[in-house]
């Protein structure tokens, strides 16, 4: 039980609590559940089929006994079925005794799952119980009558108020009944605080259970655990400002805590300023110091935050300031103490090793794939006639779609049931880009992924339908006694199902690195997050040579700059790739012209479409200042290496096609001759590199080819020269 501390904070001597009971009575819902709640007899009798009440009818056709699980059998029918050898037609043919065909609706001994009575408790306890149940109703939490009955049956005789219960009361209750009581007590505690005129937000430490804020984004239920501690904010004026923002803006607890943390970073910066404790004297230099603090913010363990996280913290600070200023809460603070959108930004930086590692490596994905049968098997959840195996199958299909399509987790979990479309015998996935509010997006997918989706769609047709979930490919599993409504959420899948699978169920995950004894090192499981499949999807395309503009469309990005972030490779991998191919460069005649070291390769040359260029002015211009219009094969500064071999082969093929077109057009002889000369020159370079590769041992050739792929990926990400400019002379 967790109510003891909260109860002590809000409850005084209650006595019979007539005024308290009357106050609660005024706040009860008139005519609440008129078909089930008898206000005169103080008796609740469930109506099977009410989606807000967890009471159903036995699945045996001739039996009307109430059961607690949809699609379940009552105990008597289950015993009778077992005694008859579990015949397949039992539910349709068995006829129980007539005495069991109707549930007991009298106010005598109550049926096991259908009824509860509040006639035996005091007026205050009755009102508290009804108030708590009605609040849970409003939050969409299913009412389970037998849990209420168990709580009521265990209450001490003559109890004046639920708030008088001690912390040990729940020890004798089943876990589900104790959970129900905790939920009711949270609402009663908040109501009692309001009744006594108290303010749960008056101090510097707020009890989450009493404040009444929702738990987080997508979590519509009120937070019930932990505290919100404003004491890390050193300046009293800033602390009170953040508290007032929390009272008026009513953010969810997660956003409040994150904004509070951002404010604590600002507080630390202001503590080092001459007037940090005097808000009326703050100016723009003080805000600059605050932004500088965000630029270097670190984790509690001293590790650097990623650039995106620092930007997120600064964004929270900006949102808080804008609200406070507009709400008149900062009228005493000069307007100069404000964020300037031009100067107070955290600029993007070159990718660090941490940023690069966001993609889940392919060798790790292969290990995950081998353990797919374990995904979703830890919950044992059953609901609405679905077995635990049915839910596990759903989670496994969700993983497959997430892995194969590169969509964000929320885009996968919210797929509609008719999300698959075949056009010219090719499958297309229809999804909603929630982040950018672009719905009905289309993505080409593999036939294997499409077949997996189709198999699950057929399985959905076989499973018992869930009325409030029928439009979704991945229906909600339900949670906290709530009926199944809507679709599986990304939080449910990512934070619980996927995390349990990776952290608890998969026995071994190893890295490609080896320890001193030559054994594989364990892979850091904290690096395996569902969003990493999106990065891995993009990385696969980049490795395969997909053009940035094409990948931009596949990723549904608006900006090509965003897409470029997915092409990054680690600095160490790039350096190793350069070290491998630099020595294999040739000149335009195919003669060896390797670079002495990787630094010379990167400093003395620049990547152009068909090889490296060492012409000084072009190197200085980043490859955009070629005097002979990129006719590289005729230039003594041309330095191709094996990483350019696919581009050379493509260029030769294109030149041959252009030559044929020129002949068909009866172009001038010198035009055709120019094509012939270029084909011969580029072909000579390509032949020499193929010869070098052919003479290498298999292991060395594989290493060179891998290094070449890495460098092509880097150049593709850099997008050094747009294709449309290749035929136009640079004016720089």
């Amino acid at each position: 039980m967790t109510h003891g501390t909260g109860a002590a904070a809000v409850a005084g001597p209650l006595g019979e609590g007539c005024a308290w009971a009357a106050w609660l009575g005024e706040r009860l819902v008139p005519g609440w559940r008129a078909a089930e709640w008898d206000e005169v007899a103080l008796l609740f009798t469930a109506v099977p089929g009410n989606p807000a009440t967890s009471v159903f009818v036995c699945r045996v056709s001739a039996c009307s006994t109430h059961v607690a699980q949809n699609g379940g059998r009552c105990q008597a029918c289950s015993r009778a079925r077992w005694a008859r050898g579990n015949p397949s037609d039992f539910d349709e043919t068995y006829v129980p005794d007539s005495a069991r065909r109707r549930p007991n609706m009298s106010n005598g001994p109550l049926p096991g799952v259908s009824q509860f009575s509040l006639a035996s408790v005091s007026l205050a306890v009755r009102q508290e119980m009804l108030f708590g149940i009605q609040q849970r109703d409003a939050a969409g939490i299913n009412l389970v009558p037998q849990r209420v009955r168990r709580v009521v049956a265990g209450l001490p005789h003559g109890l004046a108020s639920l708030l008088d219960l001690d912390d040990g009361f729940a020890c004798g209750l089943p876990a589900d009944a104790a959970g129900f009581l905790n939920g009711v007590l949270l609402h009663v505690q908040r109501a009692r605080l309001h009744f006594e005129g108290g303010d749960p937000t008056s101090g510097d430490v707020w009890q989450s259970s009493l404040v009444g804020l929702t738990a987080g984004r997508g979590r519509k239920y009120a937070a019930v655990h932990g505290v919100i501690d404003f004491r890390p904010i050193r300046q009293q004026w800033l602390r009170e400002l953040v508290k007032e923002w929390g009272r008026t803006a009513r953010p969810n607890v997660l956003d409040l805590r994150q904004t509070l943390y951002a404010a604590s970073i600002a507080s630390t910066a202001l503590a080092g300023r001459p007037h940090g404790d005097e808000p009326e004297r703050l100016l723009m230099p003080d805000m600059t110091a605050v932004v500088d603090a965000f630029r270097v913010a670190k984790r509690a363990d001293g590790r650097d935050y990623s650039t995106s996280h620092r930007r997120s913290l600064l964004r929270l600070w900006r949102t808080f300031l804008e609200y406070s200023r507009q709400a008149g809460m900062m009228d005493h603070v000069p307007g100069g103490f404000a964020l300037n959108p031009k100067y107070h930004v955290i600029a993007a930086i070159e990718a660090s090793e941490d940023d690069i590692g966001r993609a889940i490596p392919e060798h790790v994905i292969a290990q995950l794939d081998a353990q797919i049968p374990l995904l979703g098997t830890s919950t044992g959840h059953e609901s609405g006639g679905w077995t635990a195996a049915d839910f596990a199958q759903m989670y496994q299909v969700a993983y497959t779609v997430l892995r194969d399509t590169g969509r964000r987790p929320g885009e996968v979990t919210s797929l509609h049931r008719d999300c698959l479309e075949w056009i010219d015998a090719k499958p297309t996935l229809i999804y909603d880009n929630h982040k950018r509010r672009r719905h009905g997006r289309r993505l080409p997918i593999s036939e294997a992924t499409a077949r997996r989706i189709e198999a699950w769609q057929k399985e959905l047709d076989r499973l018992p339908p869930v009325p409030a979930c029928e439009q979704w490919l991945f229906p909600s599993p339900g949670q906290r006694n709530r009926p199944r409504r809507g679709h599986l959420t990304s939080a449910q899948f990512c934070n619980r199902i996927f995390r349990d699978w990776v952290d608890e169920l998969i026995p071994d995950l190893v890295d490609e690195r080896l320890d001193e004894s030559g054994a594989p090192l364990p892979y850091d499981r904290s690096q395996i997050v569902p969003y990493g499949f999106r990065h891995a999807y993009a990385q696969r395309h980049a490795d395969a040579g997909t053009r940035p503009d094409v990948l931009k469309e596949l990723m549904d990005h608006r900006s090509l700059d965003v897409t470029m972030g997915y092409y990054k490779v680690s600095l160490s991998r790039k350096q190793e790739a350069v070290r491998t191919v630099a020595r294999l460069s040739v000149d335009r005649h195919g003669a060896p012209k390797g670079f002495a070291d990787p630094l010379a390769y990167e400093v003395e040359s620049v990547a152009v479409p068909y090889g490296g260029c060492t012409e000084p002015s072009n190197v200085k211009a980043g490859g955009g200042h070629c005097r002979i219009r990129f006719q590289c094969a005729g230039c003594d500064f041309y330095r191709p290496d094996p990483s350019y071999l696919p581009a050379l082969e493509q260029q030769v093929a294109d030149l041959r096609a252009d030559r044929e077109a020129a002949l068909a057009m009866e172009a001038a002889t010198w035009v055709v001759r120019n094509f012939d000369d270029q084909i011969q020159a580029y072909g000579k370079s390509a032949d020499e590199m193929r010869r070098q590769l052919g003479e290498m041992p298999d292991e060395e050739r594989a290493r060179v080819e891998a290094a070449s792929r890495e460098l092509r990926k880097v150049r593709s990400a850099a997008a050094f020269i747009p294709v449309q400019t290749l035929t136009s002379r640079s004016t720089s």
Side-chain angles (χ1 to χ4, degrees):
M1 293 288 287
T2 59
H3 63 276
T5 302
V10 299
L14 296 175
E16 181 61 27
C18 293
W20 164 235
W23 187 89
L24 280 177
E26 293 172 356
R27 284 154 181 79
L28 295 179
V29 179
W32 173 73
R33 297 212 187 197
E36 295 177 308
W37 173 243
D38 187 335
E39 291 184 343
V40 177
L42 304 178
L43 176 68
F44 183 94
T45 303
V47 174
N50 183 347
T53 308
S54 292
V55 173
F56 309 91
V57 176
C58 176
R59 65 184 293 174
V60 174
S61 301
C63 182
S64 56
T65 303
H66 292 177
V67 295
Q69 182 177 347
N70 189 15
R73 300 181 184 88
C74 66
Q75 290 185 358
C77 287
S78 295
R79 287 195 297 267
R81 181 172 178 266
W82 179 82
R84 287 162 174 75
N86 298 324
S88 60
D89 60 348
F90 177 85
D91 295 336
E92 293 75 26
T93 61
Y94 177 68
V95 179
D97 296 338
S98 58
R100 291 198 300 105
R101 297 183 189 178
R102 296 188 306 274
N104 181 6
M105 296 301 178
S106 69
N107 200 11
L110 302 182
V113 299
S114 300
Q115 296 179 311
F116 66 83
S117 172
L118 297 180
S120 62
V121 300
S122 68
L123 175 62
V125 170
R126 183 186 313 144
Q127 304 292 63
E128 289 168 347
M129 192 70 75
L130 287 172
F131 178 80
I133 292 173
Q134 291 181 6
Q135 293 297 310
R136 287 165 63 85
D137 254 13
I141 301 176
N142 270 22
L143 176 58
V144 185
Q146 67 182 38
R147 295 179 185 173
V148 185
R149 190 177 63 258
R150 287 169 179 167
V151 171
V152 172
L155 293 176
H157 179 70
L159 181 70
S161 168
L162 292 176
L163 298 176
D164 289 339
L165 291 171
D166 58 46
D167 286 344
F169 173 75
C171 295
L173 293 176
D176 54 358
F180 162 77
L181 179 60
N182 277 331
V184 168
L185 280 169
L186 287 173
H187 294 293
V188 174
Q189 289 164 5
R190 296 188 193 115
R192 182 70 189 189
L193 195 66
H194 189 195
F195 169 72
E196 294 180 340
D199 182 2
T201 67
S202 60
D204 288 340
V205 180
W206 297 358
Q207 295 287 334
S208 297
S209 61
L210 299 180
V211 176
L213 299 176
T214 56
R217 303 182 192 94
R219 305 175 187 176
K220 302 304 181 183
Y221 53 87
V224 298
H225 299 296
V227 298
I228 305 164
D229 190 351
F230 295 85
R231 291 175 296 184
I233 301 177
R234 305 182 189 184
Q235 297 78 18
Q236 186 66 30
W237 70 269
L238 182 55
R239 186 186 308 161
E240 293 301 325
L241 191 62
V242 178
K243 288 164 63 176
E244 186 61 22
W245 172 78
R247 296 185 190 105
T248 57
R250 303 293 293 173
N252 61 64
V253 168
L254 179 61
D255 284 347
L256 177 54
R257 286 192 175 120
Q258 290 179 331
T259 300
L260 194 158
Y261 176 62
S264 71
I265 295 175
S267 173
T268 301
L270 291 174
R273 306 291 296 173
H275 310 296
D277 289 315
E278 303 172 82
E280 65 279 358
R281 300 183 65 179
L282 294 175
L283 295 172
M284 184 172 287
D286 301 300
M287 184 62 76
T288 299
V290 169
V291 176
D292 288 341
F294 282 109
R295 290 191 178 109
V296 297
K298 296 180 180 293
R299 306 173 190 266
D301 60 6
R303 291 185 298 154
D304 288 336
Y305 280 126
S306 67
T307 302
S308 61
H309 188 69
R310 288 170 174 161
R311 284 175 160 178
S312 176
L313 291 171
L314 181 59
R315 185 165 56 250
L316 289 169
W317 174 248
R318 177 182 289 109
T319 301
F320 158 70
L321 290 177
E322 290 175 350
Y323 180 95
S324 300
R325 184 71 71 177
Q326 293 170 3
M329 294 154 49
M330 292 182 65
D331 291 347
H332 61 300
V333 182
F337 185 68
L339 287 167
N340 185 304
K342 182 176 181 180
Y343 300 107
H344 292 151
V345 296
I346 298 178
I349 60 175
E350 290 299 319
S352 68
E353 292 297 314
D354 287 340
D355 293 327
I356 293 164
R358 290 178 295 181
I360 301 176
E362 292 299 324
H363 73 277
V364 174
I365 293 178
Q367 295 176 71
L368 296 176
D369 289 349
Q371 302 293 341
I372 286 179
L374 297 177
L375 177 59
T377 59
S378 62
T379 65
H381 181 64
E382 297 186 358
S383 177
W386 284 37
T387 66
D390 296 328
F391 283 108
Q393 183 180 358
M394 178 177 76
Y395 300 139
Q396 291 162 18
V397 176
Y399 163 79
T400 301
V401 177
L402 184 70
R403 178 200 64 196
D404 293 350
T405 66
R407 300 310 91 186
R408 300 177 181 92
E411 295 167 355
V412 171
T413 58
S414 64
L415 286 172
H416 289 259
R417 194 159 174 174
D418 56 353
C419 64
L420 197 59
E421 185 177 79
W422 291 81
I423 302 175
D424 296 331
K426 299 294 183 182
T428 298
L429 185 73
I430 304 172
Y431 70 98
D432 294 332
N433 182 339
H434 303 292
K435 183 176 182 179
R436 297 302 179 190
R437 298 180 178 85
R438 298 197 292 267
H439 293 176
R441 312 300 290 175
R442 281 171 163 76
L443 175 76
I445 61 175
S446 70
E447 289 194 20
T449 307
R451 299 302 181 197
R452 190 77 172 94
I453 293 173
E454 286 183 328
W456 174 242
Q457 290 171 330
K458 293 177 181 178
E459 185 67 13
L460 281 175
D461 293 337
R462 183 192 66 80
L463 290 169
V466 185
C469 304
E470 289 182 334
Q471 72 184 97
W472 307 108
L473 184 65
F474 304 119
S476 167
Q479 56 176 332
R480 296 189 63 185
N481 298 327
R482 286 178 172 81
R484 298 181 64 187
R485 300 190 183 104
H487 58 76
L488 173 72
T489 67
S490 60
Q492 288 170 327
F493 180 76
C494 299
N495 300 340
R496 185 166 62 92
I497 304 302
F498 185 84
R499 200 72 261 154
D500 286 350
W501 179 50
V502 171
D503 293 342
E504 306 295 337
L505 299 181
I506 298 179
D508 297 303
L509 285 172
V510 298
D511 202 349
E512 288 183 321
R513 298 172 299 143
L514 304 178
D515 61 19
E516 294 179 356
S517 64
L521 290 168
Y523 191 79
D524 182 0
R525 298 180 188 230
S526 67
Q527 298 298 313
I528 304 175
V529 295
Y531 206 95
F533 291 109
R534 180 167 171 83
H535 292 264
Y537 171 89
Q539 199 67 64
R540 283 196 298 272
H541 277 280
D543 291 345
T546 301
R547 298 198 316 272
D549 58 324
V550 175
L551 184 56
K552 170 180 171 289
E553 297 301 319
L554 291 175
M555 299 296 285
D556 199 21
H557 288 151
R558 285 178 175 168
S559 169
L560 190 61
D561 292 338
V562 176
T563 307
M564 289 306 176
Y566 290 89
Y567 281 85
K568 298 172 183 175
V569 295
S570 69
L571 180 60
S572 60
R573 288 168 63 190
K574 178 186 175 184
Q575 289 175 334
E576 181 61 30
V578 169
R579 189 176 296 110
T580 301
V581 302
R583 60 185 174 82
L584 300 175
S585 297
V586 299
D587 62 16
R588 71 183 181 95
H589 303 292
K593 205 72 172 181
F595 290 86
D597 56 62
L599 182 61
Y601 180 92
E602 298 204 71
V603 173
E604 298 174 8
S605 69
V606 65
V608 291
Y610 316 117
C613 176
T614 60
E615 199 282 315
S617 63
N618 197 31
V619 172
K620 184 177 180 180
H625 192 65
C626 178
R627 296 288 187 181
I628 60 173
R629 303 184 185 183
F630 299 104
Q631 297 181 93
C632 303
C635 179
D636 280 338
F637 292 102
Y638 181 47
R639 297 291 185 273
D641 61 61
S643 67
Y644 291 97
L645 188 53
L648 282 173
E649 293 170 340
Q650 183 62 49
Q651 174 67 350
V652 170
D654 291 344
L655 287 169
R656 284 173 175 160
D658 291 343
R659 180 183 183 279
E660 294 302 317
L663 290 172
M665 296 166 57
E666 299 183 352
T669 303
W670 64 268
V671 173
V672 177
R673 185 171 62 250
N674 178 267
F675 283 129
D676 287 335
D677 290 343
Q678 290 193 71
I679 291 170
Q680 182 180 1
Y682 281 121
K684 184 187 296 183
S685 297
D687 289 343
E688 173 59 23
M689 280 182 280
R690 279 192 290 264
R691 184 192 65 77
Q692 289 184 3
L693 291 173
E695 293 178 352
M696 291 179 182
D698 291 345
E699 184 176 345
E700 183 179 359
R701 182 170 62 254
R703 186 167 62 252
V704 171
E705 290 173 346
S708 298
R709 285 193 297 270
E710 293 293 349
L711 291 178
R712 286 196 293 273
K713 184 165 48 181
V714 173
R715 290 195 291 267
S716 178
F720 48 90
I721 299 175
V723 175
Q724 60 268 28
T725 68
L726 293 181
T727 56
S728 61
R729 183 171 180 174
S730 172
T731 58
S732 59

